[in-house]
Amino acid sequence: MRQSRLFTKTHKEDPKGELSHNAQLLVRAGYIHKEMAGVYTYLPLGLRVIDKITTIIREEMNAIGGQEVLMTTLQDPASWKKSGRWDDNVVDIWFKTQLKNGSELGIANTHEEALTALLLDHVSSYKDLPVYIYQFQNKFRNELRAKSGIMRTREFIMKDLYSFSRNTEEFQEFYEVCAGAYHKIFQRAGIGHLTYRTYASGGSFSEFSDEFQTLSEAGEDTIYLDEQKQVAVNKEILNDDILKKLSIDKDKLVEKKAIEVGNIFPLGTKFSEAIGLRYTDNDGKEQTPIMGCYGIGLGRLMGTIVEVLSDGKGIVWPESVAPFQFHLIRLGEAAEVKEKCDRFYDTCQKSGFDILYDDREASAGDKLHDADLLGIPVRLVISAKTGEKIEYKKRTEESASLVDITSFIETATKSK
Ligand code: ATP
Ligand code: MG
């Protein structure tokens, strides 16, 4: 893509009234646009990141047997009334709307009710289970506070998976498999080294749920971490009884701020019972499926990556989620430089490289400054000074080196 054609511009100043570091950087670099407090649009660069994150999550969910669907945002109150969660006093983040005839509709904040009701048409026997169903879908939540940029918004894309198992053992087994998939996702997204499975409050069916917490001062949560054992406990549930139960030594715990990038939650039969989802087991007896839910906020994850990996100059994307792998910068307007750079860009395109080409007529200072702000993993510079070579620099490193164009193309083709 030629940067001169990209409709988004970079900004020198932090956006006014934006308190969070992730949104400041992402707005300045032109990845996102703030519509209003807690509501952001993803621009071409931002959408490329979201797409990369989506692909990682989709691959890992498919690998554990997930089947993808796309459910609706408009929801029938009927199933919510069955679960007792239609009431605004029970769920305090509801957005609701109305039909012309005055009857109410829900605007989805989650999909346990809707999916369980959907399965009434498809599940009746033990042969139909287990099933693992997921989607990437917009959720709407009337969050009280929206000060964390794209990490807490009132409209956001969530990957939500729901498991329906025949018994507790089958459920438990999948729950652990999914926890393993979450570790892989966060590893692949470049934040695995900072992300800990954390004991959190479990609701009515299980003592615990599990959060995946990424260490960051920008986090809204406080966790207690035992680094040696690689376990953590959310402050919300920390007490002497719990520590004893988990055989965690209080003295080994360090208090840390963290961001909940994902969570997995045992639901028991709360929703299957309420909605009336049953199956007949192999003895012909009626049973109620055991459920679990497994969420990851895509914007939350993208914002977290920005929070924990950026530096003083801008964003530092891991290769796996970067909008482009290479950022080609042309320094100088001389005809021969332009020609050389265009030719190199063509070769890269023909080789199928994921490359952004800064062909804008701007100062060297501005271009290099923007390259750091955008955070694409590899910067390639062509100028009057680079001769028949290109200057190659990783975003994570300070030093650049001159490399041969043919050997660059060869190496980049191999590592594609
Ligand atoms: P939190 O405690 O942060 O409000 P939650 O317990 O409401 O999260 P879930 O309802 O289980 O979270 O949602 C699953 C995942 O969706 C979370 O782990 C997080 O990654 C993401 N998420 C939740 N709320 C938001 C939001 N308002 N904006 C962006 N992502 C969110
Ligand atoms: Mg919440």
Side-chain angles (χ1 to χ4, degrees):
M1 177 177 241
R2 283 177 180 264
Q3 213 169 328
S4 60
R5 311 245 168 93
L6 191 64
F7 81 84
T8 59
K9 302 283 176 285
T10 57
H11 301 286
K12 290 228 160 65
E13 304 291 321
D14 276 338
K16 281 198 193 73
E18 185 62 75
L19 301 171
S20 82
H21 186 56
N22 68 81
Q24 284 172 352
L25 283 174
L26 290 165
V27 169
R28 268 177 49 207
Y31 283 87
I32 60 170
H33 170 76
K34 184 177 188 168
E35 301 291 342
M36 59 187 115
V39 183
Y40 295 87
T41 287
Y42 289 91
L43 300 169
L45 294 175
L47 186 57
R48 290 179 81 100
V49 177
I50 289 289
D51 285 346
K52 296 261 169 90
I53 291 174
T54 304
T55 301
I56 293 175
I57 299 177
R58 180 176 283 134
E59 285 173 3
E60 297 302 336
M61 292 297 101
N62 288 346
I64 59 171
Q67 299 182 52
E68 189 171 349
V69 296
L70 179 57
M71 298 188 71
T72 63
T73 296
L74 293 178
Q75 294 185 327
D76 187 345
S79 0
W80 286 92
K81 285 178 182 161
K82 288 184 187 154
S83 71
R85 297 207 296 175
W86 180 251
D87 194 327
D88 292 319
N89 297 316
V90 178
V91 170
D92 62 1
I93 44 79
W94 263 120
F95 282 111
K96 294 175 180 171
T97 189
Q98 284 189 356
L99 290 176
K100 296 246 190 250
N101 70 11
S103 54
E104 279 190 299
L105 292 183
I107 298 180
N109 60 69
T110 185
H111 281 79
E112 282 84 357
E113 281 82 352
L115 181 57
T116 309
L118 182 160
L119 285 186
L120 292 171
D121 285 352
H122 299 277
V123 168
S124 57
S125 146
Y126 68 96
K127 292 179 194 154
D128 303 327
L129 295 172
V131 284
Y132 311 119
I133 302 168
Y134 76 98
Q135 61 179 346
F136 295 92
Q137 206 272 353
N138 279 354
K139 305 286 183 258
F140 296 81
R141 294 184 181 181
N142 202 344
E143 302 276 2
L144 187 61
R145 283 177 299 277
K147 291 183 182 154
S148 297
I150 60 168
M151 301 196 299
R152 180 177 299 284
T153 53
R154 300 195 167 101
E155 172 177 350
F156 61 98
I157 310 166
M158 193 201 284
K159 182 287 296 175
D160 43 333
L161 183 142
Y162 305 88
S163 67
F164 297 81
S165 306
R166 286 172 287 201
N167 52 54
T168 313
E169 297 74 58
E170 196 171 74
F171 159 74
Q172 271 303 332
E173 197 183 313
F174 179 77
Y175 191 80
E176 288 309 313
V177 166
C178 195
Y182 270 40
H183 279 303
K184 283 192 198 152
I185 289 166
F186 300 126
Q187 201 71 45
R188 289 179 66 182
I191 56 168
H193 60 300
L194 295 170
T195 305
Y196 294 89
R197 183 170 170 175
T198 303
Y199 288 97
S201 128
S204 45
F205 277 91
S206 154
E207 184 163 16
F208 301 113
S209 68
D210 294 82
E211 295 172 340
F212 289 79
Q213 294 275 3
T214 307
L215 303 186
S216 165
E217 280 306 311
E220 294 181 15
D221 285 23
T222 303
I223 65 167
Y224 286 86
L225 173 64
D226 180 335
E227 250 155 320
Q228 231 163 13
K229 280 196 178 162
Q230 298 272 300
V231 289
V233 185
N234 195 309
K235 187 179 184 176
E236 287 169 3
I237 61 158
L238 189 86
N239 63 46
D240 289 340
D241 283 352
I242 295 228
L243 289 177
K244 208 153 145 205
K245 191 170 287 171
L246 300 173
S247 21
I248 295 174
D249 183 353
K250 203 174 187 168
D251 300 333
K252 298 240 163 76
L253 293 177
V254 223
E255 187 183 290
K256 298 271 185 190
K257 284 296 211 188
I259 304 162
E260 181 201 310
V261 279
N263 71 13
I264 61 177
F265 211 100
L267 298 172
T269 56
K270 177 173 170 169
F271 297 97
S272 37
E273 194 89 58
I275 309 287
L277 181 68
R278 306 240 188 287
Y279 71 95
T280 33
D281 66 15
N282 40 4
D283 298 324
K285 272 210 299 254
E286 283 233 314
Q287 304 282 0
T288 311
I290 312 285
M291 291 173 57
C293 66
Y294 313 79
I296 297 177
L298 274 61
R300 175 84 60 96
L301 176 51
M302 177 171 162
T304 302
I305 296 168
V306 174
E307 289 287 345
V308 301
L309 300 180
S310 65
D311 62 16
K313 294 176 183 164
I315 301 168
V316 183
W317 295 114
E319 270 175 42
S320 58
V321 302
F324 293 93
Q325 295 310 305
F326 302 109
H327 198 176
L328 172 61
I329 318 281
R330 188 195 70 215
L331 296 187
E333 311 299 338
E336 65 272 29
V337 174
K338 279 188 178 170
E339 205 241 325
K340 193 165 54 164
C341 216
D342 284 355
R343 222 174 334 117
F344 177 72
Y345 176 61
D346 282 347
T347 312
C348 287
Q349 280 212 305
K350 287 203 190 92
S351 311
F353 301 165
D354 204 10
I355 186 164
L356 178 66
Y357 175 19
D358 191 350
D359 60 339
R360 296 173 304 166
E361 301 206 340
S363 75
D366 280 353
K367 286 185 163 189
L368 298 176
H369 177 273
D370 279 355
D372 282 337
L373 177 62
L374 258 57
I376 293 167
V378 172
R379 189 185 83 186
L380 305 168
V381 173
I382 288 184
S383 72
K385 280 191 267 172
T386 53
E388 287 314 302
K389 300 195 170 194
I390 46 170
E391 188 197 276
Y392 178 103
K393 183 188 163 296
K394 287 194 169 157
R395 178 65 180 82
T396 49
E397 290 170 9
E398 281 308 314
S399 62
S401 55
L402 280 178
V403 301
D404 203 61
I405 290 186
T406 27
S407 66
F408 165 77
I409 302 278
E410 264 172 38
T411 323
T413 305
K414 272 191 217 129
S415 62
K416 222 168 55 157

PDB file of all heavy atoms in Angstrom, residues 169-180:
ATOM      1  N   GLU A 169     -16.914 -34.003  33.903  1.00  0.00           N
ATOM      2  CA  GLU A 169     -15.568 -34.400  33.460  1.00  0.00           C
ATOM      3  C   GLU A 169     -15.303 -33.895  32.053  1.00  0.00           C
ATOM      4  O   GLU A 169     -14.228 -33.367  31.764  1.00  0.00           O
ATOM      5  CB  GLU A 169     -15.392 -35.930  33.462  1.00  0.00           C
ATOM      6  CG  GLU A 169     -15.516 -36.599  34.820  1.00  0.00           C
ATOM      7  CD  GLU A 169     -16.960 -36.651  35.302  1.00  0.00           C
ATOM      8  OE1 GLU A 169     -17.803 -37.232  34.586  1.00  0.00           O
ATOM      9  OE2 GLU A 169     -17.263 -36.088  36.373  1.00  0.00           O
ATOM     10  N   GLU A 170     -16.308 -34.061  31.202  1.00  0.00           N
ATOM     11  CA  GLU A 170     -16.150 -33.626  29.815  1.00  0.00           C
ATOM     12  C   GLU A 170     -15.965 -32.103  29.760  1.00  0.00           C
ATOM     13  O   GLU A 170     -15.153 -31.589  29.005  1.00  0.00           O
ATOM     14  CB  GLU A 170     -17.387 -34.039  29.010  1.00  0.00           C
ATOM     15  CG  GLU A 170     -17.190 -34.001  27.514  1.00  0.00           C
ATOM     16  CD  GLU A 170     -18.379 -34.638  26.796  1.00  0.00           C
ATOM     17  OE1 GLU A 170     -19.455 -33.997  26.742  1.00  0.00           O
ATOM     18  OE2 GLU A 170     -18.250 -35.763  26.303  1.00  0.00           O
ATOM     19  N   PHE A 171     -16.718 -31.415  30.617  1.00  0.00           N
ATOM     20  CA  PHE A 171     -16.588 -29.960  30.684  1.00  0.00           C
ATOM     21  C   PHE A 171     -15.185 -29.566  31.145  1.00  0.00           C
ATOM     22  O   PHE A 171     -14.506 -28.743  30.525  1.00  0.00           O
ATOM     23  CB  PHE A 171     -17.648 -29.353  31.624  1.00  0.00           C
ATOM     24  CG  PHE A 171     -17.267 -27.988  32.107  1.00  0.00           C
ATOM     25  CD1 PHE A 171     -17.344 -26.904  31.240  1.00  0.00           C
ATOM     26  CD2 PHE A 171     -16.765 -27.798  33.385  1.00  0.00           C
ATOM     27  CE1 PHE A 171     -16.937 -25.647  31.654  1.00  0.00           C
ATOM     28  CE2 PHE A 171     -16.349 -26.546  33.808  1.00  0.00           C
ATOM     29  CZ  PHE A 171     -16.442 -25.463  32.938  1.00  0.00           C
ATOM     30  N   GLN A 172     -14.746 -30.182  32.256  1.00  0.00           N
ATOM     31  CA  GLN A 172     -13.436 -29.854  32.844  1.00  0.00           C
ATOM     32  C   GLN A 172     -12.303 -30.039  31.848  1.00  0.00           C
ATOM     33  O   GLN A 172     -11.381 -29.233  31.772  1.00  0.00           O
ATOM     34  CB  GLN A 172     -13.159 -30.744  34.065  1.00  0.00           C
ATOM     35  CG  GLN A 172     -13.659 -30.174  35.374  1.00  0.00           C
ATOM     36  CD  GLN A 172     -13.073 -28.800  35.670  1.00  0.00           C
ATOM     37  OE1 GLN A 172     -11.997 -28.486  35.240  1.00  0.00           O
ATOM     38  NE2 GLN A 172     -13.817 -27.964  36.382  1.00  0.00           N
ATOM     39  N   GLU A 173     -12.413 -31.129  31.103  1.00  0.00           N
ATOM     40  CA  GLU A 173     -11.370 -31.441  30.135  1.00  0.00           C
ATOM     41  C   GLU A 173     -11.290 -30.338  29.082  1.00  0.00           C
ATOM     42  O   GLU A 173     -10.212 -29.834  28.764  1.00  0.00           O
ATOM     43  CB  GLU A 173     -11.688 -32.788  29.475  1.00  0.00           C
ATOM     44  CG  GLU A 173     -10.508 -33.394  28.769  1.00  0.00           C
ATOM     45  CD  GLU A 173     -10.893 -34.697  28.078  1.00  0.00           C
ATOM     46  OE1 GLU A 173     -11.566 -35.539  28.725  1.00  0.00           O
ATOM     47  OE2 GLU A 173     -10.566 -34.830  26.888  1.00  0.00           O
ATOM     48  N   PHE A 174     -12.454 -29.927  28.561  1.00  0.00           N
ATOM     49  CA  PHE A 174     -12.445 -28.871  27.546  1.00  0.00           C
ATOM     50  C   PHE A 174     -11.968 -27.548  28.133  1.00  0.00           C
ATOM     51  O   PHE A 174     -11.237 -26.787  27.486  1.00  0.00           O
ATOM     52  CB  PHE A 174     -13.824 -28.690  26.907  1.00  0.00           C
ATOM     53  CG  PHE A 174     -13.799 -27.591  25.882  1.00  0.00           C
ATOM     54  CD1 PHE A 174     -13.251 -27.816  24.623  1.00  0.00           C
ATOM     55  CD2 PHE A 174     -14.261 -26.313  26.184  1.00  0.00           C
ATOM     56  CE1 PHE A 174     -13.160 -26.794  23.677  1.00  0.00           C
ATOM     57  CE2 PHE A 174     -14.177 -25.281  25.246  1.00  0.00           C
ATOM     58  CZ  PHE A 174     -13.632 -25.528  23.993  1.00  0.00           C
ATOM     59  N   TYR A 175     -12.371 -27.278  29.366  1.00  0.00           N
ATOM     60  CA  TYR A 175     -11.994 -26.020  30.034  1.00  0.00           C
ATOM     61  C   TYR A 175     -10.470 -25.873  30.060  1.00  0.00           C
ATOM     62  O   TYR A 175      -9.928 -24.818  29.750  1.00  0.00           O
ATOM     63  CB  TYR A 175     -12.568 -26.054  31.446  1.00  0.00           C
ATOM     64  CG  TYR A 175     -12.521 -24.751  32.206  1.00  0.00           C
ATOM     65  CD1 TYR A 175     -13.464 -23.757  31.972  1.00  0.00           C
ATOM     66  CD2 TYR A 175     -11.549 -24.535  33.191  1.00  0.00           C
ATOM     67  CE1 TYR A 175     -13.436 -22.569  32.691  1.00  0.00           C
ATOM     68  CE2 TYR A 175     -11.519 -23.344  33.910  1.00  0.00           C
ATOM     69  CZ  TYR A 175     -12.472 -22.375  33.657  1.00  0.00           C
ATOM     70  OH  TYR A 175     -12.446 -21.204  34.358  1.00  0.00           O
ATOM     71  N   GLU A 176      -9.782 -26.956  30.384  1.00  0.00           N
ATOM     72  CA  GLU A 176      -8.313 -26.928  30.416  1.00  0.00           C
ATOM     73  C   GLU A 176      -7.726 -26.808  29.010  1.00  0.00           C
ATOM     74  O   GLU A 176      -6.723 -26.122  28.808  1.00  0.00           O
ATOM     75  CB  GLU A 176      -7.759 -28.166  31.122  1.00  0.00           C
ATOM     76  CG  GLU A 176      -7.974 -28.150  32.630  1.00  0.00           C
ATOM     77  CD  GLU A 176      -7.507 -26.842  33.299  1.00  0.00           C
ATOM     78  OE1 GLU A 176      -6.398 -26.383  32.996  1.00  0.00           O
ATOM     79  OE2 GLU A 176      -8.282 -26.279  34.102  1.00  0.00           O
ATOM     80  N   VAL A 177      -8.362 -27.486  28.049  1.00  0.00           N
ATOM     81  CA  VAL A 177      -7.899 -27.380  26.665  1.00  0.00           C
ATOM     82  C   VAL A 177      -8.015 -25.925  26.194  1.00  0.00           C
ATOM     83  O   VAL A 177      -7.123 -25.370  25.549  1.00  0.00           O
ATOM     84  CB  VAL A 177      -8.704 -28.327  25.753  1.00  0.00           C
ATOM     85  CG1 VAL A 177      -8.494 -28.008  24.277  1.00  0.00           C
ATOM     86  CG2 VAL A 177      -8.334 -29.782  26.038  1.00  0.00           C
ATOM     87  N   CYS A 178      -9.113 -25.295  26.563  1.00  0.00           N
ATOM     88  CA  CYS A 178      -9.330 -23.910  26.149  1.00  0.00           C
ATOM     89  C   CYS A 178      -8.334 -22.977  26.853  1.00  0.00           C
ATOM     90  O   CYS A 178      -7.811 -22.043  26.246  1.00  0.00           O
ATOM     91  CB  CYS A 178     -10.769 -23.478  26.417  1.00  0.00           C
ATOM     92  SG  CYS A 178     -11.172 -21.960  25.547  1.00  0.00           S
ATOM     93  N   ALA A 179      -8.044 -23.259  28.116  1.00  0.00           N
ATOM     94  CA  ALA A 179      -7.031 -22.452  28.818  1.00  0.00           C
ATOM     95  C   ALA A 179      -5.704 -22.553  28.078  1.00  0.00           C
ATOM     96  O   ALA A 179      -4.992 -21.554  27.911  1.00  0.00           O
ATOM     97  CB  ALA A 179      -6.889 -22.935  30.262  1.00  0.00           C
ATOM     98  N   GLY A 180      -5.370 -23.748  27.605  1.00  0.00           N
ATOM     99  CA  GLY A 180      -4.144 -23.941  26.831  1.00  0.00           C
ATOM    100  C   GLY A 180      -4.175 -23.135  25.540  1.00  0.00           C
ATOM    101  O   GLY A 180      -3.177 -22.503  25.163  1.00  0.00           O
TER     102      GLY A 180
END
